[in-house]
Amino acid sequence: MPTATTPTRNASLDALRVLSLLGIVSLHVAGGGFAGMKPIGFVVDELSRFAVPVFFILSAYFWKAEELASPLRLTRRLAWRVLVPFVLWVAITMVWRMVTQPGYQPDLSPASLVFIAWTGEPAFHLWFLPALVVGAALVATSGKYFGWVFTLGLALFLFVLGTTLGSYARLLSGESFPFWLDRNGLLFAPIFLVVGVLLRRYRDRIAALSIPAVLAAAALFAALQVVEGYFVVGRYPMGHDYSLATLGYGTAVAILFMRLELRGSWWSLLGRATFTAYLVHLLILGLIVDHVTRYSPLVIILTLTASLAIGVVWQAAVAALRRKRVGGAATQRGTS
């Protein structure tokens, strides 16, 4: 588990990454409908809503102190790490649609490109990546210049504002607003990024928490997520993203895995593969639904397995290429 001296990659947090990927796959499958099992699909969707918050929390948990002291440096690193794959995969998705959907022509007008950059559309699941960069820039800048108490308060305010504009909008006003207005790096991401920073800062206190107590908290917030979703769901096909329950749910699940002491190098192998698996899973899901079976629990298993397999192969190929380059450079130095 993470301690004051070991806030590095570990099996428990890699297992959490895999579980979160499972959650993302599950909510996308449940959103497509579970045939005649709509109530089950609703519950599966709601119980999967810890996943994206956890990915935000884990990203911020591993931010280095020197990066927090230089928000521009942090933002630049994250942008290079995630926006290059973002642009590439949006382009791949557009090409795939043009091939598989006769008559489809992407709108590349300036306004449409701005919308794509903000939301990931047509690869809508990629909204997480620009949200991570925008949220990181906001949180790191605020933390450096205004302190973390102020930043926590600001993030909570933005989250409540997002809740009002998002899941609770129809209940409170009878109106629904576009998803891009609240599900982004301004209103959704900051609170979970702040939580990640604070969990690392106070990891010694986390290490003293009782695992049964944390497990009970996660179960309680999971139940609240489902109950709350029953009253506010409507805009999305199944579940909802915003609520106090979502905040507590994602945080409790993250803390739970920070307290566990899992072992096994395979978790590291799979954990490293989750980013690539996240990029490709929606395409894999579409192929499975079109050619193998309709939306069902089986689709979750098949999509997760295939996506992780692609991620593992990609990571192995990248590692082999790096070894080849290092070996070539060493040989060149030895002969010079």
Side-chain angles (χ1 to χ4, degrees):
M1 63 185 174
T3 67
T5 57
T6 59
T8 57
R9 175 180 288 276
N10 60 62
S12 296
L13 297 188
D14 279 323
L16 179 56
R17 287 186 173 91
V18 176
L19 178 65
S20 297
L21 178 66
L22 172 62
I24 289 175
V25 172
S26 298
L27 67 88
H28 285 153
V29 173
F34 267 18
M37 301 182 292
K38 188 173 181 179
I40 296 177
F42 166 76
V43 173
V44 169
D45 190 299
E46 291 289 353
L47 292 180
S48 300
R49 293 290 168 169
F50 70 89
V52 173
V54 161
F55 274 127
F56 281 121
I57 290 171
L58 286 178
S59 177
Y61 182 82
F62 287 101
W63 290 351
K64 297 179 176 62
E66 56 269 27
E67 291 180 321
L68 288 174
S70 177
L72 181 60
R73 175 182 174 184
L74 173 63
T75 304
R76 186 168 54 242
R77 177 181 69 81
L78 286 174
W80 177 253
R81 171 75 173 86
V82 305
L83 293 188
V84 172
F86 171 81
V87 172
L88 178 62
W89 201 253
V90 167
I92 290 173
T93 304
M94 286 182 176
V95 172
W96 180 258
R97 283 195 178 185
M98 287 191 292
V99 171
T100 60
Q101 300 177 18
Y104 170 77
Q105 289 294 329
D107 181 0
L108 300 180
S109 65
S112 178
L113 289 176
V114 171
F115 182 74
I116 291 170
W118 189 249
T119 67
E121 187 65 28
F124 64 88
H125 68 297
L126 299 185
W127 72 270
F128 166 80
L129 300 179
L132 175 60
V133 176
V134 172
L138 175 64
V139 167
T141 301
S142 177
K144 177 179 179 179
Y145 293 105
F146 301 104
W148 289 102
V149 173
F150 173 86
T151 303
L152 175 60
L154 174 63
L156 284 170
F157 169 77
L158 294 173
F159 185 75
V160 171
L161 177 60
T163 302
T164 304
L165 296 174
S167 294
Y168 286 89
R170 182 172 297 185
L171 184 67
L172 295 175
S173 66
E175 300 288 338
S176 290
F177 298 99
F179 72 92
W180 51 263
L181 191 62
D182 60 272
R183 203 164 179 247
N184 53 50
L186 290 177
L187 303 182
F188 188 90
I191 186 58
F192 298 109
L193 295 174
V194 172
V195 167
V197 171
L198 295 180
L199 289 182
R200 175 164 180 167
R201 177 169 293 185
Y202 297 107
R203 55 190 177 272
D204 285 338
R205 297 184 185 182
I206 292 173
L209 294 176
S210 162
I211 291 180
V214 177
L215 183 61
L220 173 62
F221 281 115
L224 290 174
Q225 177 79 20
V226 174
V227 171
E228 206 162 16
Y230 178 81
F231 292 101
V232 304
V233 74
R235 187 180 60 174
Y236 297 110
M238 287 286 185
H240 74 293
D241 289 296
Y242 269 114
S243 70
L244 293 179
T246 309
L247 175 56
Y249 189 23
T251 302
V253 171
I255 292 175
L256 175 62
F257 276 77
M258 290 173 185
R259 285 290 292 113
L260 296 177
E261 297 184 11
L262 300 182
R263 295 288 186 269
S265 58
W266 60 85
W267 287 124
S268 178
L269 178 69
L270 295 178
R272 292 179 184 276
T274 52
F275 181 62
T276 301
Y278 164 74
L279 293 175
V280 306
H281 83 274
L282 210 59
L283 177 59
I284 300 300
L285 170 58
L287 290 172
I288 291 173
V289 169
D290 288 341
H291 300 290
V292 180
T293 183
R294 302 303 297 170
Y295 288 97
S296 68
L298 176 61
V299 176
I300 296 176
I301 298 172
L302 294 176
T303 302
L304 178 70
T305 302
S307 300
L308 281 174
I310 292 171
V312 169
V313 170
W314 175 257
Q315 288 294 318
V318 170
L321 181 60
R322 287 174 178 169
R323 287 195 298 270
K324 184 177 180 180
R325 287 179 176 177
V326 171
T331 301
Q332 187 175 11
R333 287 195 300 269
T335 57
S336 62

